[in-house]
Amino acid sequence: MTFYGYKRALPLAVLCLGAVLCSSAASFAKTYQLGGLYTLTYSNGLYADWGDYARISAQMSVDDINKSGILGEDKLALKDENILDFHCAMQGSADLGEDIFSREGILAVLGLDCSGPAENFARSATKYKVPAVSYGAGAEPLGNSDEFPYFVRVMSPSSVFERVFFDVMKKYALDDLTIFNTTDIWGASAKEALIKDATEMEFSIGGVYSYDRNTSFEKVYHYLSKAKAKGLKNFFIIMPVPDTAIFFQAAKALKMDTPGYTYCSSEILSPNNVQMGLLGAIGNFAPKTTFPEGPALDDYIKRLSERVGKPITPDSSAFLWGILGYDNVRIVAEAIVMAKNAGVTDLTGETLMPYIRKGDYMGLTGRINIEKGTNNRQSMDIDILNFQGYSKDESYASRWLYTIKNPSGPAINYVKVGKVDSEGNFTFDEAKVIWPGQTRNPPTGEK
């Protein structure tokens, strides 16, 4: 009774002051809402594990940032209702961009993992003055900060990745580079960059075959058969994952998965791609961002594996885009901290954007900073991966049944065989490489 009487005896002014302080603290704490544009499924309904892993990783990153306390009492939020699946498709992307960037209270939009649609999204970002932070749109034109002032990406442009094939070609005296590319902004711009680089390095171009995304197997087979008839053997494929798989399906059907051919694709294939495509791609090279090894990376792999319910291998396409999706969030958080430290009290997309461009921190994928005068991450080390087929030697029917039951598909095997660092130094471990035709013998460069 005494304790109860003591509480009642507190002066009214003290009680009021406590209430004011509590309500003030609560009112000063802010939750910054983020939006997301991810490829979770393709337009044909196929599950896009890489886009989904990036979404999951972004939400993991939001949780980690909130727990870290780097924003003080403030928080980030990436709610499901603010995440849109744009299917890596141009169709409808302009409307989706208008939708998410015009939503009240959205501070920044993450994801934007396909270059064609990302161009539409970047224009909406500029219109509504809301930062668009991409983890996967590598088209060269998107690096123009004058044209796309509210767009940045936590990766270098695709040309940085795609030039690694020239180092492999030079090592084995290969020539007559043949380019297959889709005609979207990414494929078209990367093709031009490759042709320019090839000319400067005195490589000849054996042929260029350009076509729309989602082109049928029959048409791709027709184009590739023309290249085969010309005796062309060294191919660079610049197109989204499903189109890359169709290319290799055609290569398999034309028996171009044999010794003497050399392939490099800008994209890493997914386990649920068509089997004939995966089998035809054995021996293919693909570039990937180098990730600093250590406890932080190990912890991320462990937690992502737990979230998706299956072991994650560091040399998979899903892991590559997932970890970039994680760093996609951190650059926004770092910018918020800088803006607050600079005395910015009215934090909006417009006031935040300059600080996103000033960010410089160590993420899971290494140092992340935006190159001055561009929208590009300044420097990246690139691993060279060699696709060596399925992790388990099973029958075609067994793998097909597995994919029916598990949309992510059976495990496939990419092996790191080389590296090109940010200074241009090239290293290559030939002993680890499997070439097309599943041979250990490299091509000779002879025609």
Side-chain angles (χ1 to χ4, degrees):
M1 294 295 294
T2 305
F3 181 71
Y4 178 75
Y6 174 75
K7 284 186 69 178
R8 292 190 64 186
L10 285 173
L12 180 60
V14 174
L15 293 173
C16 290
L17 177 60
V20 169
L21 289 174
C22 290
S23 64
S24 297
S27 66
F28 285 136
K30 298 177 180 178
T31 298
Y32 299 109
Q33 300 294 335
L34 304 175
L37 288 162
Y38 293 93
T39 297
L40 307 179
T41 57
Y42 296 108
S43 53
N44 62 4
L46 185 68
Y47 173 60
D49 56 354
W50 54 276
D52 196 28
Y53 286 16
R55 173 194 63 83
I56 293 169
S57 296
Q59 292 178 319
M60 286 171 52
S61 187
V62 167
D63 292 342
D64 290 347
I65 288 164
N66 289 341
K67 290 175 184 176
S68 72
I70 65 171
L71 300 181
E73 295 298 318
D74 296 341
K75 304 290 184 184
L76 294 178
L78 179 57
K79 298 179 179 178
D80 289 341
E81 58 263 34
N82 287 328
I83 296 175
L84 304 181
D85 181 2
F86 69 98
H87 311 295
C88 193
M90 284 297 296
Q91 185 176 5
S93 60
D95 291 337
L96 288 175
E98 286 291 301
D99 178 352
I100 195 68
F101 285 98
S102 65
R103 293 188 184 185
E104 186 177 355
I106 297 292
L107 183 65
V109 177
L110 311 172
L112 300 88
D113 45 34
C114 292
S115 293
E119 183 178 10
N120 283 333
F121 301 148
R123 297 195 188 285
S124 292
T126 301
K127 177 180 177 180
Y128 293 101
K129 297 183 178 180
V130 174
V133 187
S134 170
Y135 73 90
E140 297 289 326
L142 287 170
N144 188 328
S145 58
D146 292 329
E147 186 172 0
F148 304 107
Y150 277 83
F151 176 88
V152 294
R153 51 191 172 196
V154 294
M155 60 180 293
S156 299
S158 59
S159 58
V160 173
F161 292 83
E162 287 143 7
R163 287 173 191 151
V164 302
F165 194 34
F166 289 120
D167 290 310
V168 176
M169 291 183 68
K170 184 183 294 185
K171 179 176 177 63
Y172 295 101
L174 304 176
D175 204 1
D176 282 343
L177 174 66
T178 303
I179 301 172
F180 271 68
N181 69 283
T182 45
T183 53
D184 56 318
I185 184 177
W186 166 48
S189 61
K191 175 195 72 175
E192 295 302 323
L194 273 179
I195 292 174
K196 180 177 180 291
D197 290 341
T199 302
E200 291 176 354
M201 289 185 275
E202 299 183 344
F203 287 101
S204 60
I205 303 295
V208 177
Y209 299 84
S210 306
Y211 48 79
D212 293 339
R213 289 171 53 186
N214 301 316
T215 292
S216 67
F217 165 80
E218 290 76 16
K219 289 184 178 180
V220 177
Y221 182 96
H222 172 70
Y223 296 137
L224 194 52
S225 64
K226 284 187 172 185
K228 181 181 181 181
K230 291 181 179 179
L232 301 175
K233 292 184 177 294
N234 307 307
F235 295 85
F236 203 110
I237 305 101
I238 314 166
M239 51 189 66
V241 174
D243 297 285
T244 302
I246 294 298
F247 172 92
F248 282 114
Q249 184 182 8
K252 180 72 174 175
L254 286 162
K255 295 183 170 54
M256 294 173 69
D257 59 331
T258 52
Y261 286 96
T262 310
Y263 298 99
C264 185
S265 63
S266 55
E267 291 288 338
I268 299 171
L269 293 168
S270 295
N272 61 354
N273 288 133
V274 59
Q275 278 201 65
M276 287 292 286
L278 288 167
L279 294 172
I282 294 175
N284 176 50
F285 297 105
K288 178 189 78 68
T289 305
T290 302
F291 306 132
E293 297 181 359
L297 183 66
D298 295 340
D299 178 66
Y300 166 78
I301 294 172
K302 177 177 180 293
R303 291 190 294 135
L304 181 60
S305 298
E306 291 171 351
R307 289 285 291 267
V308 302
K310 61 183 293 184
I312 301 299
T313 58
D315 292 328
S316 68
S317 64
F319 177 84
L320 161 65
W321 299 117
I323 196 169
L324 284 168
Y326 185 96
D327 280 346
N328 198 212
V329 184
R330 178 74 181 277
I331 195 170
V332 176
E334 294 288 336
I336 292 172
V337 172
M338 283 191 291
K340 290 170 66 177
N341 289 341
V344 177
T345 55
D346 183 19
L347 198 56
T348 65
E350 185 175 8
T351 58
L352 182 67
M353 190 67 215
Y355 296 96
I356 290 179
R357 294 193 175 280
K358 293 178 182 178
D360 191 346
Y361 68 97
M362 286 299 296
L364 288 181
T365 58
R367 183 186 177 189
I368 296 179
N369 58 338
I370 304 302
E371 183 178 1
K372 188 175 181 180
T374 79
N375 295 328
N376 306 327
R377 180 171 172 173
Q378 187 160 348
S379 62
M380 299 177 75
D381 294 343
I382 308 297
D383 290 339
I384 303 173
L385 303 184
N386 180 228
F387 181 58
Q388 301 189 358
Y390 288 96
S391 297
K392 293 184 179 179
D393 185 16
E394 296 180 319
S395 69
Y396 188 100
S398 296
R399 290 192 291 262
W400 179 78
L401 288 171
Y402 183 92
T403 304
I404 293 296
K405 296 177 181 178
N406 184 343
S408 64
I412 57 178
N413 189 26
Y414 275 96
V415 175
K416 178 181 174 181
V417 296
K419 181 177 180 178
V420 180
D421 67 22
S422 57
E423 302 298 321
N425 299 310
F426 169 67
T427 56
F428 194 74
D429 190 347
E430 185 180 289
K432 293 182 178 179
V433 176
I434 291 179
W435 299 89
Q438 302 193 45
T439 178
R440 294 284 181 177
N441 299 320
T444 62
E446 298 176 358
K447 297 183 180 179

